[in-house]
Amino acid sequence: MKNILITGGAGFIGSHVVRLFVTKYPDYNIVNLDKLTYAGNLANLKDVENRPNYTFVKADIADLDLMRSIIRDHRIDGIIHLAAESHVDRSIRDPFTFARTNVMGTLSLLQAAKEYWESLPEGFNGKLFYHISTDEVYGALQLNRPDGVEAPFSTRASSERELAFGTDFFTEATAYNPHSPYSASKASSDHFVRAYHDTYGLPTIVTNCSNNYGPYQFPEKLIPLFINNIRQRKPLPVYGRGENVRDWLFVEDHARAIDLIFHRGKVADTYNIGGFNEWKNIDLIKVIIKTVDRLLGNPDGYSLDLITYVTDRPGHDMRYAIDSRKLQSELGWEPSLQFEEGIEKTVRWYLANEQWVNNVTSGDYRRYYEEMYSNR
Ligand code: NAD
Ligand code: DAU
Protein backbone atom coordinates (compact mmCIF):
# COMPACT_ATOMS: atom_id res chain seq x y z
CA MET A 1 0.00 0.00 0.00
CA LYS A 2 1.37 3.38 -0.98
CA ASN A 3 -1.17 6.17 -0.87
CA ILE A 4 -2.77 6.52 2.52
CA LEU A 5 -5.59 8.92 3.36
CA ILE A 6 -5.77 9.92 7.03
CA THR A 7 -8.88 11.94 7.88
CA GLY A 8 -8.96 14.23 10.90
CA GLY A 9 -5.16 14.38 10.86
CA ALA A 10 -5.09 17.93 12.20
CA GLY A 11 -6.91 16.88 15.38
CA PHE A 12 -5.56 15.37 18.57
CA ILE A 13 -5.19 11.63 17.81
CA GLY A 14 -5.00 12.17 14.04
CA SER A 15 -1.92 14.39 14.35
CA HIS A 16 -0.09 11.66 16.28
CA VAL A 17 -1.09 9.09 13.65
CA VAL A 18 0.02 11.35 10.78
CA ARG A 19 3.35 12.08 12.49
CA LEU A 20 3.98 8.36 13.08
CA PHE A 21 3.14 7.34 9.50
CA VAL A 22 5.00 10.22 7.80
CA THR A 23 8.19 9.55 9.76
CA LYS A 24 8.02 5.75 9.91
CA TYR A 25 7.00 5.13 6.29
CA PRO A 26 8.94 7.40 3.92
CA ASP A 27 7.71 5.24 0.99
CA TYR A 28 4.06 6.01 1.66
CA ASN A 29 2.34 9.16 0.47
CA ILE A 30 0.34 10.40 3.42
CA VAL A 31 -2.62 12.61 2.58
CA ASN A 32 -4.06 14.38 5.61
CA LEU A 33 -7.68 15.40 4.95
CA ASP A 34 -9.22 17.74 7.50
CA LYS A 35 -11.92 20.42 7.58
CA LEU A 36 -10.00 22.38 10.23
CA THR A 37 -12.91 22.87 12.59
CA TYR A 38 -12.25 24.50 15.98
CA ALA A 39 -10.58 21.17 16.93
CA GLY A 40 -8.23 20.91 13.96
CA ASN A 41 -4.96 22.80 13.98
CA LEU A 42 -2.18 22.52 11.43
CA ALA A 43 0.15 23.83 14.14
CA ASN A 44 -0.09 20.26 15.53
CA LEU A 45 1.97 19.05 12.56
CA LYS A 46 4.59 21.80 12.13
CA ASP A 47 7.43 19.28 12.52
CA VAL A 48 6.34 17.11 9.57
CA GLU A 49 4.58 19.54 7.23
CA ASN A 50 7.57 19.92 4.90
CA ARG A 51 8.25 16.21 4.49
CA PRO A 52 8.08 15.13 0.80
CA ASN A 53 5.66 12.29 1.61
CA TYR A 54 3.09 14.56 3.30
CA THR A 55 0.18 16.44 1.71
CA PHE A 56 -2.59 18.37 3.42
CA VAL A 57 -6.05 18.77 1.87
CA LYS A 58 -8.70 20.95 3.49
CA ALA A 59 -12.08 19.31 2.92
CA ASP A 60 -15.33 18.29 4.60
CA ILE A 61 -15.87 14.51 4.70
CA ALA A 62 -19.61 15.07 4.26
CA ASP A 63 -18.99 16.44 0.74
CA LEU A 64 -19.43 13.25 -1.31
CA ASP A 65 -18.27 14.66 -4.65
CA LEU A 66 -15.17 16.11 -3.06
CA MET A 67 -14.42 12.76 -1.36
CA ARG A 68 -14.77 11.05 -4.75
CA SER A 69 -12.29 13.38 -6.43
CA ILE A 70 -9.75 13.40 -3.59
CA ILE A 71 -9.69 9.60 -3.35
CA ARG A 72 -9.37 9.28 -7.14
CA ASP A 73 -6.83 12.09 -7.64
CA HIS A 74 -4.53 10.75 -4.92
CA ARG A 75 -5.10 7.11 -5.98
CA ILE A 76 -5.82 6.18 -2.38
CA ASP A 77 -5.14 2.56 -1.35
CA GLY A 78 -5.89 2.75 2.34
CA ILE A 79 -7.97 5.02 4.57
CA ILE A 80 -7.54 5.62 8.29
CA HIS A 81 -10.67 7.51 9.24
CA LEU A 82 -10.48 9.66 12.37
CA ALA A 83 -12.32 12.85 11.35
CA ALA A 84 -15.24 13.39 13.66
CA GLU A 85 -16.91 15.71 16.09
CA SER A 86 -15.51 14.22 19.30
CA HIS A 87 -16.68 16.11 22.40
CA VAL A 88 -19.65 14.69 24.32
CA ASP A 89 -20.71 18.03 25.88
CA ARG A 90 -20.87 19.66 22.45
CA SER A 91 -23.00 16.78 21.15
CA ILE A 92 -25.55 17.45 23.89
CA ARG A 93 -25.85 21.07 22.74
CA ASP A 94 -25.67 20.44 18.99
CA PRO A 95 -26.49 16.84 17.99
CA PHE A 96 -27.11 17.70 14.32
CA THR A 97 -23.49 18.62 13.63
CA PHE A 98 -22.50 15.23 15.08
CA ALA A 99 -24.94 13.36 12.84
CA ARG A 100 -23.78 15.32 9.82
CA THR A 101 -20.05 14.76 10.27
CA ASN A 102 -19.90 11.44 12.08
CA VAL A 103 -22.71 9.64 10.25
CA MET A 104 -23.12 11.33 6.84
CA GLY A 105 -19.40 12.12 6.63
CA THR A 106 -18.41 8.51 7.27
CA LEU A 107 -21.04 7.33 4.78
CA SER A 108 -19.71 9.69 2.10
CA LEU A 109 -16.18 8.45 2.63
CA LEU A 110 -17.29 4.79 2.49
CA GLN A 111 -19.22 5.34 -0.72
CA ALA A 112 -16.40 7.28 -2.40
CA ALA A 113 -13.84 4.59 -1.45
CA LYS A 114 -16.13 1.80 -2.65
CA GLU A 115 -16.77 3.47 -6.03
CA TYR A 116 -13.09 4.20 -6.66
CA TRP A 117 -11.78 0.80 -5.59
CA GLU A 118 -14.49 -1.02 -7.59
CA SER A 119 -13.36 0.87 -10.69
CA LEU A 120 -9.80 -0.50 -10.45
CA PRO A 121 -8.67 -3.72 -12.20
CA GLU A 122 -7.60 -5.20 -8.85
CA GLY A 123 -10.88 -4.17 -7.16
CA PHE A 124 -10.79 -4.30 -3.36
CA ASN A 125 -7.58 -6.33 -3.35
CA GLY A 126 -5.00 -4.82 -1.00
CA LYS A 127 -7.32 -2.00 0.01
CA LEU A 128 -8.48 -1.12 3.53
CA PHE A 129 -10.99 1.24 5.12
CA TYR A 130 -10.02 1.48 8.80
CA HIS A 131 -12.51 3.29 11.03
CA ILE A 132 -11.38 4.68 14.40
CA SER A 133 -14.16 4.50 16.95
CA THR A 134 -14.77 4.74 20.66
CA ASP A 135 -15.65 2.55 23.64
CA GLU A 136 -18.61 4.89 24.31
CA VAL A 137 -20.67 2.95 21.73
CA TYR A 138 -20.94 0.11 24.26
CA GLY A 139 -22.77 2.27 26.83
CA ALA A 140 -21.90 2.34 30.53
CA LEU A 141 -20.68 -0.26 33.00
CA GLN A 142 -21.57 -0.71 36.66
CA LEU A 143 -19.35 0.98 39.20
CA ASN A 144 -19.52 -1.64 41.91
CA ARG A 145 -18.47 -5.21 41.62
CA PRO A 146 -21.53 -7.40 41.12
CA ASP A 147 -20.43 -9.63 44.02
CA GLY A 148 -21.02 -6.71 46.39
CA VAL A 149 -17.37 -6.07 47.25
CA GLU A 150 -16.89 -2.34 47.46
CA ALA A 151 -14.71 -0.84 44.77
CA PRO A 152 -11.45 0.74 46.00
CA PHE A 153 -12.69 4.27 45.44
CA SER A 154 -9.98 6.05 47.33
CA THR A 155 -7.14 4.51 45.37
CA ARG A 156 -6.40 4.14 41.69
CA ALA A 157 -7.71 0.96 40.16
CA SER A 158 -5.14 -1.71 39.69
CA SER A 159 -4.49 -2.88 36.16
CA GLU A 160 -5.28 -6.34 37.46
CA ARG A 161 -8.71 -7.00 36.00
CA GLU A 162 -10.13 -8.56 39.14
CA LEU A 163 -9.12 -5.62 41.35
CA ALA A 164 -10.59 -2.93 39.15
CA PHE A 165 -13.77 -0.95 39.73
CA GLY A 166 -15.95 -3.76 38.54
CA THR A 167 -15.61 -7.20 37.10
CA ASP A 168 -17.29 -6.43 33.80
CA PHE A 169 -15.43 -4.97 30.82
CA PHE A 170 -16.34 -4.02 27.27
CA THR A 171 -15.23 -6.79 24.90
CA GLU A 172 -15.52 -6.91 21.13
CA ALA A 173 -18.73 -8.91 21.64
CA THR A 174 -20.45 -6.36 23.90
CA ALA A 175 -23.73 -5.17 22.39
CA TYR A 176 -23.93 -1.52 21.35
CA ASN A 177 -25.90 0.69 23.74
CA PRO A 178 -24.90 4.33 23.17
CA HIS A 179 -26.36 7.07 25.38
CA SER A 180 -25.07 10.45 24.23
CA PRO A 181 -25.66 12.02 20.81
CA TYR A 182 -21.88 11.67 20.29
CA SER A 183 -21.81 7.94 21.01
CA ALA A 184 -25.05 7.41 19.05
CA SER A 185 -23.43 9.05 16.02
CA LYS A 186 -20.24 6.97 16.41
CA ALA A 187 -22.30 3.77 16.82
CA SER A 188 -24.21 4.61 13.67
CA SER A 189 -20.99 5.21 11.73
CA ASP A 190 -19.57 1.87 12.98
CA HIS A 191 -22.72 0.13 11.73
CA PHE A 192 -22.37 1.76 8.31
CA VAL A 193 -18.73 0.64 8.07
CA ARG A 194 -19.68 -2.97 8.87
CA ALA A 195 -22.68 -2.74 6.51
CA TYR A 196 -20.33 -1.75 3.66
CA HIS A 197 -18.27 -4.84 4.37
CA ASP A 198 -21.22 -7.20 4.72
CA THR A 199 -23.16 -5.80 1.75
CA TYR A 200 -20.52 -4.80 -0.78
CA GLY A 201 -17.43 -6.65 0.45
CA LEU A 202 -15.50 -3.44 1.24
CA PRO A 203 -12.43 -4.43 3.29
CA THR A 204 -12.97 -2.73 6.63
CA ILE A 205 -11.70 -2.78 10.20
CA VAL A 206 -13.22 -0.99 13.21
CA THR A 207 -11.42 -0.31 16.47
CA ASN A 208 -12.98 1.00 19.67
CA CYS A 209 -10.63 2.81 22.01
CA SER A 210 -10.88 4.18 25.54
CA ASN A 211 -10.09 7.76 26.67
CA ASN A 212 -6.87 9.14 25.18
CA TYR A 213 -4.67 11.78 26.77
CA GLY A 214 -1.42 13.48 25.81
CA PRO A 215 -0.02 16.48 23.91
CA TYR A 216 -2.19 18.36 21.36
CA GLN A 217 -5.53 17.42 22.93
CA PHE A 218 -7.96 20.30 22.63
CA PRO A 219 -8.31 21.90 26.08
CA GLU A 220 -12.05 21.30 26.37
CA LYS A 221 -11.40 17.67 27.39
CA LEU A 222 -10.89 16.89 31.08
CA ILE A 223 -7.09 16.54 31.37
CA PRO A 224 -5.88 19.50 29.26
CA LEU A 225 -8.75 21.72 30.49
CA PHE A 226 -7.80 21.11 34.10
CA ILE A 227 -4.03 21.57 33.54
CA ASN A 228 -4.76 24.86 31.84
CA ASN A 229 -7.22 26.02 34.50
CA ILE A 230 -4.82 25.19 37.34
CA ARG A 231 -2.11 27.19 35.61
CA GLN A 232 -4.51 30.14 35.37
CA ARG A 233 -5.97 29.68 38.89
CA LYS A 234 -9.44 29.10 37.37
CA PRO A 235 -12.13 26.80 38.87
CA LEU A 236 -11.99 23.08 37.99
CA PRO A 237 -15.58 22.06 37.08
CA VAL A 238 -16.07 18.49 38.35
CA TYR A 239 -19.30 17.02 36.96
CA GLY A 240 -21.60 15.49 39.59
CA ARG A 241 -19.65 13.91 42.45
CA GLY A 242 -16.57 13.12 40.39
CA GLU A 243 -17.17 9.39 40.80
CA ASN A 244 -17.37 8.43 37.14
CA VAL A 245 -14.63 6.12 35.96
CA ARG A 246 -12.66 6.31 32.70
CA ASP A 247 -9.92 4.05 31.32
CA TRP A 248 -7.01 6.25 30.17
CA LEU A 249 -4.50 5.52 27.38
CA PHE A 250 -1.54 7.65 26.27
CA VAL A 251 -2.23 8.87 22.74
CA GLU A 252 1.05 7.58 21.27
CA ASP A 253 0.13 4.08 22.42
CA HIS A 254 -3.16 4.43 20.53
CA ALA A 255 -1.25 5.58 17.43
CA ARG A 256 1.04 2.53 17.69
CA ALA A 257 -1.99 0.27 17.93
CA ILE A 258 -3.49 1.91 14.83
CA ASP A 259 -0.24 1.33 12.91
CA LEU A 260 -0.17 -2.33 13.94
CA ILE A 261 -3.83 -2.96 13.15
CA PHE A 262 -3.64 -1.10 9.83
CA HIS A 263 -0.83 -3.39 8.71
CA ARG A 264 -1.65 -6.68 10.44
CA GLY A 265 -5.29 -6.53 11.52
CA LYS A 266 -7.79 -8.99 10.11
CA VAL A 267 -10.24 -7.56 7.57
CA ALA A 268 -13.85 -7.37 8.82
CA ASP A 269 -12.63 -7.65 12.39
CA THR A 270 -13.01 -5.40 15.46
CA TYR A 271 -10.35 -4.69 18.08
CA ASN A 272 -10.80 -2.99 21.43
CA ILE A 273 -7.93 -0.72 22.51
CA GLY A 274 -7.43 0.30 26.15
CA GLY A 275 -4.87 0.54 28.88
CA PHE A 276 -6.46 -1.41 31.78
CA ASN A 277 -5.98 1.90 33.53
CA GLU A 278 -9.20 2.93 35.25
CA TRP A 279 -9.43 6.07 37.32
CA LYS A 280 -12.27 7.68 39.21
CA ASN A 281 -12.42 11.28 37.91
CA ILE A 282 -11.81 12.90 41.30
CA ASP A 283 -8.73 10.75 41.96
CA LEU A 284 -7.34 11.54 38.54
CA ILE A 285 -8.01 15.25 39.11
CA LYS A 286 -6.02 15.12 42.36
CA VAL A 287 -3.08 13.56 40.52
CA ILE A 288 -3.25 16.33 37.91
CA ILE A 289 -3.33 18.99 40.63
CA LYS A 290 -0.39 17.42 42.44
CA THR A 291 1.68 17.19 39.25
CA VAL A 292 0.93 20.71 38.04
CA ASP A 293 1.58 22.21 41.48
CA ARG A 294 4.93 20.39 41.74
CA LEU A 295 6.05 21.49 38.27
CA LEU A 296 4.96 25.08 38.91
CA GLY A 297 6.81 25.12 42.23
CA ASN A 298 3.61 25.50 44.29
CA PRO A 299 3.29 23.83 47.72
CA ASP A 300 1.64 20.39 47.71
CA GLY A 301 -2.15 20.79 47.79
CA TYR A 302 -2.02 24.45 46.75
CA SER A 303 -4.61 24.15 43.94
CA LEU A 304 -7.03 21.75 45.63
CA ASP A 305 -9.26 24.73 46.46
CA LEU A 306 -10.00 25.13 42.73
CA ILE A 307 -12.10 21.93 42.69
CA THR A 308 -15.68 23.03 42.07
CA TYR A 309 -18.51 20.50 41.91
CA VAL A 310 -20.98 21.50 39.17
CA THR A 311 -24.22 20.10 37.74
CA ASP A 312 -23.63 16.68 36.24
CA ARG A 313 -23.41 16.05 32.49
CA PRO A 314 -26.88 14.85 31.35
CA GLY A 315 -26.82 11.08 30.75
CA HIS A 316 -23.28 10.89 32.14
CA ASP A 317 -22.00 7.32 31.60
CA MET A 318 -20.76 5.97 34.94
CA ARG A 319 -17.87 3.75 33.93
CA TYR A 320 -15.96 2.71 30.82
CA ALA A 321 -13.45 -0.15 30.93
CA ILE A 322 -11.95 -1.83 27.90
CA ASP A 323 -10.83 -5.42 27.66
CA SER A 324 -7.98 -5.21 25.14
CA ARG A 325 -6.72 -8.78 25.55
CA LYS A 326 -7.64 -9.70 21.97
CA LEU A 327 -5.31 -7.04 20.57
CA GLN A 328 -2.62 -8.01 23.06
CA SER A 329 -2.75 -11.73 22.32
CA GLU A 330 -3.39 -11.63 18.55
CA LEU A 331 -1.13 -8.75 17.55
CA GLY A 332 1.19 -8.41 20.55
CA TRP A 333 0.30 -4.77 21.34
CA GLU A 334 0.76 -3.39 24.86
CA PRO A 335 0.65 0.12 26.27
CA SER A 336 4.26 1.30 26.56
CA LEU A 337 3.88 3.98 29.22
CA GLN A 338 2.97 3.76 32.87
CA PHE A 339 0.20 6.25 33.67
CA GLU A 340 2.45 8.27 36.00
CA GLU A 341 4.98 8.79 33.16
CA GLY A 342 2.24 9.67 30.69
CA ILE A 343 0.68 12.27 32.99
CA GLU A 344 4.07 13.80 33.78
CA LYS A 345 4.89 14.06 30.04
CA THR A 346 1.46 15.54 29.32
CA VAL A 347 1.56 18.16 32.08
CA ARG A 348 5.10 19.19 31.10
CA TRP A 349 3.99 19.55 27.47
CA TYR A 350 1.01 21.79 28.31
CA LEU A 351 3.04 23.96 30.66
CA ALA A 352 5.73 24.39 27.99
CA ASN A 353 3.23 25.11 25.22
CA GLU A 354 1.11 27.89 26.67
CA GLN A 355 1.14 29.70 23.32
CA TRP A 356 -0.41 26.68 21.58
CA VAL A 357 -3.16 26.60 24.22
CA ASN A 358 -3.81 30.32 23.81
CA ASN A 359 -3.96 30.03 20.03
CA VAL A 360 -6.39 27.13 19.91
CA THR A 361 -8.67 28.51 22.62
CA SER A 362 -9.22 31.91 21.07
CA GLY A 363 -12.43 32.95 19.33
CA ASP A 364 -15.17 30.35 18.94
CA TYR A 365 -14.05 28.13 21.77
CA ARG A 366 -13.88 30.97 24.27
CA ARG A 367 -17.51 31.87 23.49
CA TYR A 368 -18.59 28.22 23.77
CA TYR A 369 -16.81 27.81 27.12
CA GLU A 370 -18.25 30.99 28.63
CA GLU A 371 -21.79 30.01 27.58
CA MET A 372 -21.35 26.44 28.82
CA TYR A 373 -20.36 27.45 32.34
CA SER A 374 -22.61 30.48 32.69
CA ASN A 375 -25.52 28.25 33.81
CA ARG A 376 -23.84 25.46 35.81
P1 NAD B 1 -10.48 15.88 17.68
O1 NAD B 1 -11.77 16.56 17.93
O2 NAD B 1 -9.26 16.34 18.40
O3 NAD B 1 -10.13 15.96 16.11
C1 NAD B 1 -11.10 15.73 15.12
C2 NAD B 1 -10.54 16.23 13.80
O4 NAD B 1 -11.53 15.98 12.78
C3 NAD B 1 -10.24 17.72 13.77
O5 NAD B 1 -8.98 17.96 13.19
C4 NAD B 1 -11.36 18.31 12.92
O6 NAD B 1 -10.97 19.49 12.22
C5 NAD B 1 -11.66 17.16 11.98
N1 NAD B 1 -13.03 17.21 11.46
C6 NAD B 1 -14.18 17.42 12.16
N2 NAD B 1 -15.24 17.43 11.32
C7 NAD B 1 -14.74 17.22 10.07
C8 NAD B 1 -15.34 17.11 8.79
N3 NAD B 1 -16.68 17.24 8.62
N4 NAD B 1 -14.56 16.87 7.71
C9 NAD B 1 -13.21 16.74 7.87
N5 NAD B 1 -12.59 16.85 9.06
C10 NAD B 1 -13.35 17.08 10.15
O7 NAD B 1 -10.76 14.34 17.92
P2 NAD B 1 -9.82 13.20 18.53
O8 NAD B 1 -9.97 13.21 19.99
O9 NAD B 1 -8.50 13.29 17.92
O10 NAD B 1 -10.58 11.91 17.98
C11 NAD B 1 -10.26 11.38 16.69
C12 NAD B 1 -11.13 10.17 16.43
O11 NAD B 1 -10.87 9.19 17.43
C13 NAD B 1 -12.62 10.45 16.47
O12 NAD B 1 -13.23 9.67 15.47
C14 NAD B 1 -13.06 9.99 17.85
O13 NAD B 1 -14.40 9.58 17.84
C15 NAD B 1 -12.11 8.82 18.06
N6 NAD B 1 -11.78 8.52 19.48
C16 NAD B 1 -11.33 9.52 20.31
C17 NAD B 1 -10.96 9.18 21.62
C18 NAD B 1 -10.43 10.23 22.58
O14 NAD B 1 -10.25 9.94 23.76
N7 NAD B 1 -10.14 11.46 22.14
C19 NAD B 1 -11.07 7.87 22.07
C20 NAD B 1 -11.55 6.90 21.18
C21 NAD B 1 -11.90 7.23 19.88
O1 DAU C 1 -14.04 6.94 25.95
C1 DAU C 1 -13.58 7.51 24.76
C2 DAU C 1 -14.08 8.93 24.65
O2 DAU C 1 -13.36 9.69 25.60
C3 DAU C 1 -13.92 9.51 23.25
O3 DAU C 1 -14.70 8.79 22.34
C4 DAU C 1 -14.32 10.99 23.23
O4 DAU C 1 -14.07 11.53 21.95
C5 DAU C 1 -13.51 11.72 24.27
O5 DAU C 1 -13.93 13.07 24.33
C6 DAU C 1 -13.67 11.07 25.64
O6 DAU C 1 -15.00 11.26 26.15
P1 DAU C 1 -15.29 11.62 27.71
O7 DAU C 1 -16.61 12.27 27.78
O8 DAU C 1 -15.03 10.47 28.59
O9 DAU C 1 -14.08 12.70 27.92
P2 DAU C 1 -14.04 14.12 28.68
O10 DAU C 1 -12.61 14.53 28.73
O11 DAU C 1 -15.03 15.08 28.13
O12 DAU C 1 -14.51 13.73 30.16
C7 DAU C 1 -13.81 12.77 30.95
C8 DAU C 1 -14.58 12.60 32.25
O13 DAU C 1 -14.45 13.81 33.02
C9 DAU C 1 -16.07 12.40 32.08
O14 DAU C 1 -16.53 11.51 33.11
C10 DAU C 1 -16.67 13.78 32.28
C11 DAU C 1 -15.73 14.41 33.27
N1 DAU C 1 -15.55 15.88 33.14
C12 DAU C 1 -15.23 16.37 31.91
C13 DAU C 1 -15.02 17.72 31.72
C14 DAU C 1 -14.68 18.28 30.36
C15 DAU C 1 -15.66 16.72 34.26
O15 DAU C 1 -15.94 16.26 35.37
N2 DAU C 1 -15.47 18.05 34.06
C16 DAU C 1 -15.17 18.60 32.85
O16 DAU C 1 -15.01 19.84 32.74
Side-chain angles (χ1 to χ4, degrees), residues 7-16 32-42 44 56-63 67 81-87 97 100-102 105-106 131-136 182 185-186 189 207-213 216-218 220-221 247-249 251 254 258 273:
T7 71
F12 166 47
I13 303 171
S15 64
H16 288 275
N32 171 14
L33 185 162
D34 200 295
K35 185 182 173 183
L36 300 183
T37 66
Y38 79 96
N41 294 285
L42 288 175
N44 298 1
F56 172 70
V57 182
K58 184 170 189 292
D60 183 339
I61 53 166
D63 184 336
M67 290 309 104
H81 174 38
L82 297 110
E85 288 292 338
S86 68
H87 192 42
T97 303
R100 186 182 173 281
T101 287
N102 299 359
T106 301
H131 180 55
I132 308 301
S133 192
T134 169
D135 59 1
E136 297 198 14
Y182 164 68
S185 69
K186 291 296 290 187
S189 62
T207 56
N208 299 85
C209 189
S210 64
N211 286 61
N212 284 215
Y213 70 98
Y216 299 109
Q217 185 167 34
F218 194 85
E220 64 187 347
K221 307 277 165 66
D247 173 4
W248 294 93
L249 181 67
V251 62
H254 188 190
I258 290 172
I273 311 173

Side-chain angles (χ1 to χ4, degrees), residues 14 69 74 83 98 108 110 153 234 248 265 330 339 343 360-361 369:
S69 57
H74 292 272
F98 282 68
S108 302
L110 283 164
F153 289 143
K234 283 189 183 167
W248 294 93
E330 288 188 13
F339 188 62
I343 279 290
V360 303
T361 52
Y369 186 81

Side-chain angles (χ1 to χ4, degrees), residues 86-89 134-136 182 209-212 220-223 225-226 237-239 244 246 248 281 285 313 316-317 320 373:
S86 68
H87 192 42
V88 174
D89 293 325
T134 169
D135 59 1
E136 297 198 14
Y182 164 68
C209 189
S210 64
N211 286 61
N212 284 215
E220 64 187 347
K221 307 277 165 66
L222 180 74
I223 292 181
L225 175 71
F226 278 35
V238 180
Y239 298 167
N244 303 65
R246 296 290 181 268
W248 294 93
N281 287 342
I285 289 161
R313 173 186 276 174
H316 197 173
D317 285 337
Y320 302 144
Y373 290 105

